[in-house]
Amino acid sequence: MKSRHNYRPVYRLFSLFVVGLLVCATGVCAEVATPEQFFGFKLGTDKKLARYDKIVEYLQKLAGQSDRVRVRNLGPTTLGNPYLLVEISSPENLRNLEHYKSLERKLYFQGGAPTDAERDEIFKSGKAVVLVTNNLHSTEIGSSQAIVELIHRLATDNSDGVKKILDNVVFLTVPSANPDGQILVTDWYNKVVDTPNESSPLPVLYHYYVGHDDNRDMFLFSQKESALAAGILWHDWFPSVWLDEHQQGSDGSRIFTMPARDPINPNVDPLIYRWEAILGTSQAAALDAEGKTGVIHNVSYDSYYVGAFGWTGWWHNQVGMLTEVASARIASPIYQQRATLSLSSSQAAASGGGGAAGGGRGTGAGRGAGAGRGAAPAAAGVDASPGAGGGRGGTQEQPLPAPTDITPRNDYLQPWLGGKWTLGDIVDYEVTATYALLETAADRRETLLRDIYKVNLDTIEKGRKGELGRGSEKAYGVLIPVSEQHDPAEAVELVDKLIGGGVEVYRAKNEFKQDEKTYAAGTFVVPFTQVFARYAKDLLERQTFPQVRVTPESDPIPPYDVSSWSLGLQFGVRTDFAKTALDSSLALERVTVTPKWPLAAANNGNGWSFAYTGAQSALLVNRLLKGGAAVRLTKPDSAGIPTALVTAKPEVWTKAVEGFEIRAGAAAGKAPPRPAVATTLRAPRVGLYQPWGGNQDEGWTRWLLEHYSFDYTTLHNKDVQAGKLRQRFDAIILPSQRGTALLTGNTAQSVLPEYRGGIGDDGWQALLDFAAEGGTIIAFGESTNVLIEKLPLGVKNLKRTLTVQEHHAPGTIVNLQVDTSHPVGLGAARETYGFYVNSPFFETVEGFSSQKVSVVARYPNTTVLASGWLRGDELMQGRAAVVAIDENPGKIVLFGIQPQNRAQTHATLPLLFNALYWSAEGDVNIAGQ
Ligand SMILES: [Zn+2]
């Protein structure tokens, strides 16, 4: 609850944290220490890293001495470190920064469209506002060093070139977008450097909860750092350009610059893609001019996905950009055998998506790639976790194989041919590329502003005509009725996310008609006559991933990332797209503060009752249980919804419903005088398995459990192996892990011994004992494989034998039918949506008489695909997605879908939460049969 409104508190904090005030009257103070003087080494020196806390200290000191630099602390990160925004411009511009900010905000139509006079003033005197975010992925650490060098240069260099930049650009930069991880990686590196375990991977995720997936949170803003970035982007500064700096694998090109490869997204204005190419190409040219080779574009990363840093800017009419520089082994050099240039063109290299990027992308999976590389995407070499991967060689004694992508071509004019590559090279490439971006933004300031204005104006005009995007169907806005939702609280959750992304959301003051339907007063309305309409549309509509083929005969190229996000579907919220123009007389009220969660509840004399309909119900239940209340569930009513009956002290109830708005609803107070109680809810004792090496699926689950107020205990291999688990736990959760990683873990010799291996035979036996003694094992996605293969279960995994040509779903929203009479299905919608990523799907098998095998959720007999990309739809039809097995006393719940994927899948969270309650239930027969 407390993190829901992060973006607004951030905004309020802005004026309070100006650390560096103007100290020097003109120019630059002579006493400004260089980074080398301050840190004691030149940034980029082999095996030396500037730690984030020292970077903060240096930048604050610099800001105190320079009238070109300001530093603001936007608030604490997840682990309590300062999240810094540095603002750099000419002294004159900084003195009038609020004025230039107001021009930039007006460019993005904040507070209404600019008048003609305001527009002309923006073109004449507005600045190019450029945001550069660094080091989001913590092992990709070079940019946290490079940015310090660049800031120092801008603060002290009196050349005409720097003056031009400072006069024309307001440069905003976040030195590390994940400060906690920067510190973690620096300390880890210092621990292992120059030891035999120098390439031992980090034992934990480098973002405390979500690891590498901190680059997949830019529409949910679940993590503090994402919300802080959203605050800069869509509530404070509205930068026109946003570059996010990353590192890729070590063995191919040296730097990726924009543009990215196909497919493009139909909702993005073409001018935005064009500006990516203008700015990206200017970066490439600057690198060429310095004789830096290995500059590539139009590969690997497609131009489609909405949830990544930088990328998200496109739908906000911001020029979102990416650089990916080849990695060293953190700060240790990489050595690679040398190749000879090949002048014969090869199909693989020329195909754009090929080359070093190869196949096997689909970082959407990203999760549970085994204990060793859980934090890194599936594809080695693409935005990988460098150095931390371990076992890939690259030392002087064991150099990497020579590069294979060695044919010069338009996208890759001067291929990298191998040799030594250092942190210093990364810093050099990044300083050059970032400086070039600023220089071009300065040179083309007015054209950039004019084009952004045009895109913003066009967006609103097209929204007015219902013509946004490139589909044939007209769409004028989105209507989100509240009271008609299965779980009205989720409609509010959805609105909260939209507001976080800067979308203007309104409430209808009165009942109204649209497309022949009647909508109640209080319906949320998102008109497309707004500057961020492209974002709202893309976020809420169903995705149809474009079919891009290298040749007409070849298979379509699968997405780089997940293929669907449709947030309404994922939240289980009905979102109606207006097919005709919204009534101009419609009385609307802007929603500026996210409303409370609606809750159908009533006091029925002896206590309270409320409709048990979704994830927020679990939050309420957990708060009540912690307050000592008794909570029972009735059998579902005719609509499939159980009622929760609460006996609690009034103060416990009052505290528990904080954030909820009580209203009489369909299920409120409808409990019969002597209701048929199905089950008593108890707080489950939860163990959450955490593999060494970091596992994002575990991290997201951990975040969710905390967010919804479930207590849990983290279990490492030794804790599982110690046995006697049933004495401590009702449920043990196994996050998704590939193959046999649960059992074997990462066995590479480079891994420090204490982090090597999985739960092993002892741990496996302990899990079997746990189940035999009545414990509940809950497995997600890939982890269901181990249970199915090693246990006699009345379930078969149908995915196991299918090739990628037969069946492939790289992050797809699917239709689900839920058995809401089963304990695990209680309160869910009967027809809903799940998130599926190439994991098992099941059929049940006869002949296991000791087991009661129940299909909790299945795919429909008709179309499975709800949004995104799915090859082999028919193979899943009618099959099981979630299976619950009661072995009396033990239980096993197999989630073939990801019920908690990236914390986005609110519609299926109840299935996970119910499974936890089921584990604590003892012998009560809940179905009441
Ligand atoms: Zn990265």
Side-chain angles (χ1 to χ4, degrees), residues 137 140 206 212 215 246-247 324 383-384:
H137 288 153
E140 302 163 19
Y206 58 57
H212 204 77
N215 201 24
H246 287 250
Q247 289 173 216
E324 296 266 2
D383 191 34

Side-chain angles (χ1 to χ4, degrees), residues 275-327:
W275 268 96
E276 285 172 18
I278 292 170
L279 296 173
T281 305
S282 75
Q283 293 181 294
L287 292 157
D288 289 344
E290 291 184 5
K292 292 180 163 67
T293 65
V295 183
I296 200 165
H297 67 270
N298 191 29
V299 288
S300 302
Y301 316 98
D302 69 42
S303 306
Y304 192 75
Y305 175 62
V306 74
F309 246 58
W311 264 207
T312 311
W314 305 339
W315 292 264
H316 291 89
N317 302 339
Q318 295 162 312
V319 186
M321 302 180 64
L322 174 72
T323 54
E324 296 266 2
V325 180
S327 295

